Amino acid sequence: MDVTTDANAPWLIVGLGNPGPEYAMNRHNVGFMVADLLAGRIGGRFKRAGRAQAQVVEGRIGPPGPANRRVVLAKPMSYMNLSGGPVNALREFYKVPVGQVVAVHDELDVDYGVLRLKLGGGDNGHNGLKSMTKAFGADYHRVRFGIGRPPGRMQVADFVLKDFSGAERKELDYFVDRAADAVECLVIEGLERAQGTYNS
């Protein structure tokens, strides 16, 4: 896949989730958790983004020199299934090519805590990705954070909107930290290097 990039444009790193304190620790909100950690690393605080229905932090990641990258961290403040509109508004405002958009999201078909990085592809039933793909095409990067499948007969919708279990929470900080590392590696060193390091 030929990915168009622009050295002058920032990378748009989108953590997917639902706004509101009642959703904060849901499995579906792991993208927000990773975005919050990245914001802390660059010393920024999320602020409302103009007319876009999102919160953003602007900053830089990477060592000084040619590997240093300008980034915009974003959390859509629409609900998950409407993420595409706010993300596309930010993409157009910051003039970000689709190939420099990174979506960080929960992934049912990957075991808990396991990461899978990829470029393009389907949405696998994920409403946030579905909305983004509808808004500007599928050729963006994904950092897929495994949450595993629901136990027994639990419905997928119920599972993703439940908080991480007590056992999962013991390792959650470590896995979120690792996902943030993977995002930084992807942006600074490229997809192939990031996949080699983090696609465990």
Side-chain angles (χ1 to χ4, degrees):
M1 189 183 299
D2 180 34
V3 183
T4 306
T5 57
D6 177 355
N8 295 315
W11 282 73
L12 177 58
I13 300 164
V14 181
L16 290 177
N18 286 307
E22 68 272 32
Y23 298 106
M25 288 305 295
N26 285 183
R27 294 181 177 93
H28 224 18
N29 270 44
V30 76
F32 274 18
M33 297 174 200
V34 176
D36 285 336
L37 181 59
L38 285 165
R41 288 183 181 184
I42 65 174
R45 295 182 64 159
F46 278 100
K47 296 188 177 78
R48 191 84 187 196
R51 283 183 293 185
Q53 203 178 356
Q55 291 183 352
V56 298
V57 173
E58 296 179 53
R60 303 191 81 91
I61 60 174
N68 194 258
R69 299 280 183 267
R70 192 157 68 96
V71 296
V72 177
L73 305 174
K75 297 192 296 186
M77 290 288 113
S78 60
Y79 284 94
M80 179 71 86
N81 59 350
L82 300 172
S83 300
V87 176
N88 201 38
L90 292 173
R91 195 184 68 76
E92 290 177 347
F93 178 79
Y94 289 102
K95 299 179 172 54
V96 178
V98 175
Q100 280 171 231
V101 176
V102 181
V104 185
H105 65 92
D106 57 307
E107 178 60 60
L108 287 158
D109 285 339
V110 178
D111 289 341
Y112 174 60
V114 173
L115 297 176
R116 290 280 183 273
L117 284 74
K118 70 172 191 170
L119 174 65
D123 56 57
N124 204 20
H126 193 289
N127 288 330
L129 298 183
K130 195 177 292 183
S131 180
M132 285 176 63
T133 297
K134 188 176 176 186
F136 52 83
D139 296 343
Y140 53 91
H141 290 85
R142 297 101 190 276
V143 175
R144 305 157 71 204
F145 186 111
I147 60 168
R149 281 263 158 201
R153 296 185 176 183
M154 186 187 288
Q155 294 295 311
V156 164
D158 295 333
F159 179 69
V160 299
L161 292 175
K162 277 202 169 15
D163 288 359
F164 284 102
S165 70
E168 287 170 336
R169 276 208 284 266
K170 287 177 182 159
E171 295 180 290
L172 183 60
D173 287 350
Y174 168 77
F175 289 140
V176 168
D177 196 64
R178 194 163 181 273
D181 291 346
V183 171
E184 291 183 346
C185 184
L186 167 62
V187 170
I188 296 164
E189 300 185 59
L191 179 62
E192 205 170 304
R193 173 65 68 88
Q195 286 176 323
T197 306
Y198 293 98
N199 277 16
S200 48

